[in-house]
Structures are given as C-alpha cells and as structure tokens.
Amino acid sequence: MNITFEGRTALVTGAAHGFGRAIALAFAARGASVVACDILQAELADTARLAGEACTPRVLDITQRDAVQAAVAEIEANHGPVDVLVNCAGGVLGQVGRPIEEIAEADWNAIFAVNLSGAFYLTQAVAPAMKRRQWGRVVNISSGAGLGISLTGIQAYASAKAGQIGLTRQLAHELGPFGITVNNVAPGFVRSNPTTERQWEAMGEEGQAKLIQTIALKRLGSPDDIANAVMFFASEQAGWISGQVLSVDGGK
C-alpha cells in the first residue's frame, strides 16, 4: 500500500514531542505540507527542524476557541484549506491519580479543555472548508483509557478520552455526507514523552513486567506505531471508513 499526501495540507496538534511529532514527521515524509501546532515553542521548533521545509511550526493554545479560529483562518490563507486534521494534543497536564474528593474544579476542567474541547474547536474551525471541497480527514488520538480505565487513575483523563471517542462517532455521521471521515486511534501505553517516562519509572521493575504481560505481543510499541495508524485513516485507501476506533496497543 503506497500512502502519499502530495498536495495535501495536514494540521497536527500536540506536535512538540511524542505521538504528535511522529505523526508530523510521517506526513512530511509522505509529501504533505504540515502545520505543526503546540504550546511548547522550543520542542516544536525541533519537530520542524526534523521534518524539514515541509513543516511549519505554529504555537497555539487549542483550549482557546478564538485563537484556534484565528490560527486556522491564517493557515488557510497561507497554505490553503486543511485537508487532514489530527487532534493529538492532550495528556494529564502533570496531574497524578488522587481520590475523587480531592479533585479541584480547575484540575477537572483543564484536562477536559485540552483533551476534548480542543479537538472540538479545531474540527469546528476546519470543517467549513472541508465541506466546501467535499473532502476531508479528521483523526483524533484518544487512549486506551477512553475505552477502559486510566492506568494513572485520573478520572478526568479517562472521561475526556471517552468523550472524544463519542465526539468522533457523532461527527462521523454529521460530516460524512460532505465526504469527510472522522476516526479515532486509541494508543496503549507507549513511552513517548516525559509524562509516560515518569509513569514507566514509577511502576518499578515488577509493575513494568506486569504491564508487559498484559500485552499480547509482550512488548511496548513506539510513537511510529501510532503514526502508522494515523497515516492509514488519513489516506485515500480509508475513504469508506468512518466513526471507527482503532486500538493500537499490541493486543489486549
């Protein structure tokens, strides 16, 4: 299967490291014009350097709807309409698992803002141009936590990722008549960024071994495994697939 994105513009959020960086690099390697977005300016510059001239970095806080609308308008003016949107930004924002009675309103809302509202705002901003052209791809990056439970025990993270999966299915039906597919990749545990490295270390050798034993392939995956799934969903070959959730977790 030869997947190419020549002549396509891909907007990838959360592109400063981990899955987002791998996804941005994969699009650039396959000929896309990539707009890589994140709030981490230095790391985002590293992504752009690795991707080469095909990649334009843009600092963007996806939790701010007005900023998202302005950014997409500018991107469309400078690069043309967005063909592929990958909502990868998210995470636990440095939070750790705590009993429900200890969770502050601000902590709950912050995780929902970056994992769910941001995906909504970006899709809302790119949808009009996709509708006009009767073609588009939206790929959301959720988590195994959205299908089951969070290894971290963070209630808001599991809930927001489950909500993102629900958003995926709903938008697939709303946008499908315009030739736009909306799909979701649900990664298993991957050592992909500083947060997951801390989680891995906190497990200790016994916890790490126990986690590996729950995986059918008996090994962890890599960010490239997630990027490969995104490439398929974004491709022409996946044109009759929408509203789906693909678990990329080594087998459970």
Side-chain angles (χ1 to χ4, degrees):
M1 183 181 294
N2 181 26
I3 294 177
T4 180
F5 297 101
E6 293 287 345
R8 299 290 191 192
T9 296
L11 193 166
V12 182
T13 70
H17 52 55
F19 298 154
R21 173 177 288 178
I23 292 164
L25 296 183
F27 275 119
R30 289 164 177 79
S33 173
V34 181
V35 181
C37 299
D38 209 300
I39 60 172
L40 302 175
Q41 186 171 6
E43 293 92 331
L44 191 60
D46 289 338
T47 297
R49 176 179 54 80
L50 291 167
E53 293 182 358
C55 182
T56 301
R58 184 183 180 96
V59 175
L60 177 63
D61 182 352
I62 66 164
T63 70
Q64 303 300 310
R65 182 181 180 276
D66 289 346
V68 167
Q69 291 282 338
V72 169
E74 185 176 321
I75 289 165
E76 290 178 346
N78 294 332
H79 299 272
V82 174
D83 298 291
V84 181
L85 168 65
V86 182
N87 289 307
C88 186
V92 299
L93 305 180
Q95 296 185 36
V96 298
R98 292 167 290 162
I100 187 171
E101 60 268 26
E102 296 180 14
I103 308 303
E105 180 181 5
D107 291 340
W108 174 267
N109 289 338
I111 286 181
F112 264 80
V114 72
N115 288 283
L116 181 54
S117 296
F120 176 80
Y121 296 152
L122 263 298
T123 309
Q124 185 180 50
V126 303
M130 287 183 176
K131 285 181 174 182
R132 287 194 296 272
R133 290 177 297 113
Q134 297 286 295
W135 198 97
R137 297 283 189 269
V138 178
V139 185
N140 296 321
I141 309 299
S142 61
S143 168
L147 294 168
I149 62 170
S150 171
L151 294 176
T152 65
I154 298 174
Q155 305 89 342
Y157 184 72
S159 301
K161 289 304 190 184
Q164 192 199 74
I165 290 170
L167 179 66
T168 297
R169 291 170 174 151
Q170 189 66 40
L171 291 180
H173 281 268
E174 178 179 343
L175 300 178
F178 301 95
I180 303 165
T181 68
V182 187
N183 289 293
N184 197 292
V185 176
F189 183 83
V190 178
R191 297 169 63 184
S192 60
N193 57 44
T195 297
T196 52
E197 284 299 322
R198 287 193 295 271
Q199 292 171 356
W200 178 252
E201 292 300 323
M203 292 178 194
E205 291 186 5
E206 182 177 347
Q208 293 167 5
K210 184 177 180 180
L211 174 62
I212 295 295
Q213 287 307 306
T214 67
I215 300 173
L217 290 174
K218 306 305 179 193
R219 64 176 178 84
L220 298 181
S222 73
D224 287 340
D225 292 311
I226 310 307
N228 289 337
V230 173
M231 295 303 105
F232 173 65
F233 273 147
S235 71
E236 294 284 359
Q237 289 87 339
W240 206 52
I241 300 173
S242 197
Q244 300 306 302
V245 182
L246 177 60
S247 294
V248 183
D249 56 13
K252 296 291 186 181

